[in-house]
Amino acid sequence: MIALSRVTGGRDNNFNLIRALAALAVLVTHCFVLATGSTDREPLWKALGVTWGVIAVDVFFLTSGFLITGSLSAKKDLWSFFTARLLRIYPALAVAMLLSVAFLGAFISTVSPSSFFFHPKTVLFLFKNMTLFSGVSFQLPGVFSSNPYPLVVNGSLWTLPAEVRLYVILGGIWALSLWVGGRKMNFFSSLVLLTAGLSFS
């Protein structure tokens, strides 16, 4: 029997393929939602009451939790762990938000550029989405107001605050396990499994 850690330790583990298929499933569901304004016409929703996108998001969270926990277990250092997490999320997020606002304000919004860039909704959009401390904001003035699914800019951002919170929880579990001493990895693994189990209750 091959240990799971041996299979997942390198890059030849098919996680990229799993995530690519999950991303495709999210795109399929979003196509129906954005085109019609609801999930009612999404084939899997009509058949089972659940969408491909919902399943795909669960897959993303499961694989991310598995890989991130493995990363912390390998690094065994909270500073390195949180530095890596911050660098993975925030630089790209800041660039994406700034480019989104610049492009949408200049070419898409129905309000004037001067009104758009100094509008409270624009400021809130940038602040909340670039910090993630208090959730995210989806609305920008005059953007997508006439769409079938209106007033939503980058709806996928909702996953990031949840992900950041889970990084903090995982870091807290690791910090708590440091008190145990020699058997800290067993204690860490047990707490992670307990937390994962409680999340399903």
Side-chain angles (χ1 to χ4, degrees), residues 54-93:
V54 168
I55 295 172
V57 168
D58 288 341
V59 169
F60 275 125
F61 276 124
L62 284 170
T63 55
S64 178
F66 184 80
L67 294 173
I68 296 306
T69 304
S71 173
L72 178 54
S73 298
K75 293 179 185 298
K76 295 181 170 59
D77 179 73
L78 280 180
W79 178 259
S80 298
F81 171 74
F82 281 120
T83 300
R85 296 303 100 211
L86 291 174
L87 290 176
R88 184 176 180 85
I89 289 181
Y90 282 98
L93 177 63

Side-chain angles (χ1 to χ4, degrees), residues 1-10 12:
M1 182 178 294
I2 300 175
L4 187 60
S5 59
R6 290 181 57 188
V7 179
T8 59
D12 188 20

